[in-house]
């Protein structure tokens, strides 16, 4: 009678040295078995684990046979978890302008990304990257950030990944630029023409509105000291500015050196090496 026969099942997973009993003398021909969660700890760096099985068959209390050993492969699942992902501007200059460290100023803010993550089912975190840059100890800094979109990608020791994207409110600041030329009007009239132009963010950062200051100074080539900075009031159109002015009193028999600078609430740009020679020759930058 087949009902007098029972089966005892055993397993031994890869990395285990001894057999473990699954069930003792069951009369069931089909037995449901749940893979132990302890298997995860045996493969913290692998997605799969092999496991061997065999069965002892009894007639009553008498062992009548032992099966061949069979092997099955199980796959560990569970992507890593991103516990937190924060973005903050650490540049005090720009946070004073926006009034909010959760906002950023394009090209000027220093965005600090901080990611905390954990592995699932005995896996550990092998790497954290934000926008492709490795986050040492979960932190990466983007100085002068040009984008407000940041993607964190976490990889665990089994090679599973999880990603999360966050965006910051961004002030679309336009990088300040400056170009300048200086030239004599006529070879001997003592007048020079100074022209400036560039890009300028003509807008508000939130807490403060941007402002522009443009200045020049000069000296005779033979002098060791510069004159005082003199302001120029440029014409602003959208996010550009320009101005041409005529200056007098420049002896046509002498050479003069000029410097020009533009300053907004974020940065200063300078042009040096401008020369007014004894004739109409000029040098522009």
């Amino acid at each position: 009678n087949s009902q007098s026969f029972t089966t005892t099942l055993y397993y031994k997973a890869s990395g285990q040295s001894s057999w473990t009993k699954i069930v003792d003398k069951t009369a069931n021909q089909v037995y449901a078995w749940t893979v132990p969660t302890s298997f995860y700890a045996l493969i913290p760096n692998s997605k799969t684990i092999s496991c061997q099985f065999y069965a002892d068959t009894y007639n009553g209390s008498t062992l009548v046979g032992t099966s061949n050993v069979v092997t099955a492969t199980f796959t560990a699942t569970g992507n890593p978890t991103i516990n937190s992902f924060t973005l903050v501007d650490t540049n005090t200059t720009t946070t004073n302008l926006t009034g909010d460290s959760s906002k950023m100023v394009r090209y000027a803010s220093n965005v600090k990304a901080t990611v905390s993550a954990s592995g699932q089912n005995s896996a550990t975190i092998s790497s954290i990257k934000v926008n492709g840059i490795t986050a040492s100890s979960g932190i990466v800094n983007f100085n002068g950030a040009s984008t407000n979109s940041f993607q964190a990608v976490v990889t665990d020791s089994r090679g599973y990944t999880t990603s999360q994207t966050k965006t910051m409110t961004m002030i679309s600041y336009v990088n300040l630029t400056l170009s300048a030329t200086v030239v004599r009007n006529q070879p001997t009239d003592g007048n020079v023409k100074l022209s400036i132009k560039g890009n300028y963010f003509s807008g508000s950062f939130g807490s403060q509105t941007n402002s522009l200051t443009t200045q020049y100074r000069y000296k005779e080539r033979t002098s060791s000291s510069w004159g005082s900075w003199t302001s120029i009031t440029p014409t602003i159109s959208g996010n550009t500015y320009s101005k041409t002015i005529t200056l007098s009193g420049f002896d046509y028999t002498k050479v003069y050196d000029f410097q020009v600078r533009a300053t907004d609430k974020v940065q200063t740009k300078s042009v040096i090496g401008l020369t007014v020679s004894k004739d109409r020759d000029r040098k522009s930058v």
Side-chain angles (χ1 to χ4, degrees):
N1 189 336
S2 61
Q3 292 182 347
S4 65
F5 289 92
T6 59
T7 301
T8 299
L9 300 172
Y10 299 87
Y11 77 85
K12 182 172 69 172
S14 177
Q16 294 182 328
S17 58
S18 59
W19 293 88
T20 300
K21 186 182 293 184
I22 297 174
V23 63
D24 188 34
K25 295 182 179 178
T26 178
N28 295 331
Q29 293 184 358
V30 177
Y31 184 81
W33 177 67
T34 301
V35 179
T37 57
S38 59
F39 277 22
Y40 288 122
L42 298 173
I43 51 167
N45 303 314
S46 176
K47 292 182 178 180
T48 61
I49 186 171
S50 61
C51 185
Q52 295 177 312
F53 299 89
Y54 79 90
D56 284 337
T57 301
Y58 291 85
N59 186 351
S61 60
T62 303
L63 178 65
V64 295
T66 298
S67 71
N68 293 327
V69 174
V70 297
T71 302
T73 299
F74 301 103
T75 300
T77 58
N79 290 347
T81 298
I82 296 177
N83 301 316
S84 64
F85 179 20
T86 60
L87 301 167
V88 62
D89 183 9
T90 61
N91 185 342
T92 55
T93 296
T94 49
T95 56
N96 286 336
L97 295 174
T98 62
D100 187 347
S101 63
S102 68
K103 297 179 180 180
M104 63 170 287
V105 177
R106 182 174 59 181
Y107 307 130
S109 288
N110 298 335
V111 177
K112 178 182 179 182
T114 305
V115 182
S116 172
S118 56
Q120 301 298 306
N121 300 322
S122 299
T124 57
I125 300 300
S126 60
S127 77
I128 298 175
K129 293 184 177 181
V130 181
N131 287 4
I133 300 176
T134 298
S136 178
S137 299
I139 297 173
V140 59
N141 294 293
F142 298 89
N143 295 335
S146 60
T147 179
N148 68 332
S149 178
F150 299 88
Q151 183 186 50
V153 178
V154 176
T155 304
D156 70 11
S157 53
R158 293 192 180 105
Y160 290 121
T161 63
T162 297
S163 65
Q164 183 178 344
T165 299
K166 284 196 170 185
T167 58
M168 295 183 75
T169 299
M170 182 174 71
I171 309 303
S172 297
Y173 173 74
V174 176
N175 260 328
L176 182 66
T177 64
L178 169 65
S179 63
T181 61
V182 61
V183 62
R184 288 187 182 276
N185 282 353
Q186 300 292 333
T188 60
D189 69 357
N191 294 333
V192 299
K193 184 184 294 183
L194 173 63
S195 297
I196 63 170
K197 63 181 181 179
N199 297 326
Y200 160 69
F201 173 61
S202 179
S204 174
F205 295 100
S207 180
Q208 300 183 43
T209 298
N210 202 19
S211 62
L212 178 66
T213 300
T214 53
Q215 299 171 304
Y216 71 90
R217 68 178 181 178
Y218 65 90
K219 69 177 183 68
E220 291 184 25
R221 172 62 56 86
T222 57
S223 175
S224 60
S225 59
W226 290 88
S228 300
W229 287 103
T230 301
S231 294
I232 307 170
T233 302
T235 298
I236 297 174
S237 176
N239 286 323
T240 65
Y241 68 93
S242 62
K243 188 70 173 181
T244 297
I245 60 174
T246 299
L247 306 172
S248 60
F250 292 87
D251 190 332
Y252 71 91
T253 66
K254 296 179 180 179
V255 177
Y256 296 87
D257 295 323
F258 273 74
Q259 294 180 347
V260 182
R261 69 184 181 187
T263 302
D264 68 2
K265 288 186 177 293
V266 174
Q267 57 186 316
T268 296
K269 296 295 183 179
S270 299
V271 174
I272 61 175
L274 293 169
T275 301
V276 174
S277 57
K278 296 179 183 180
D279 53 24
R280 288 180 62 87
D281 291 344
R282 71 177 181 179
K283 182 179 181 182
S284 63
V285 178

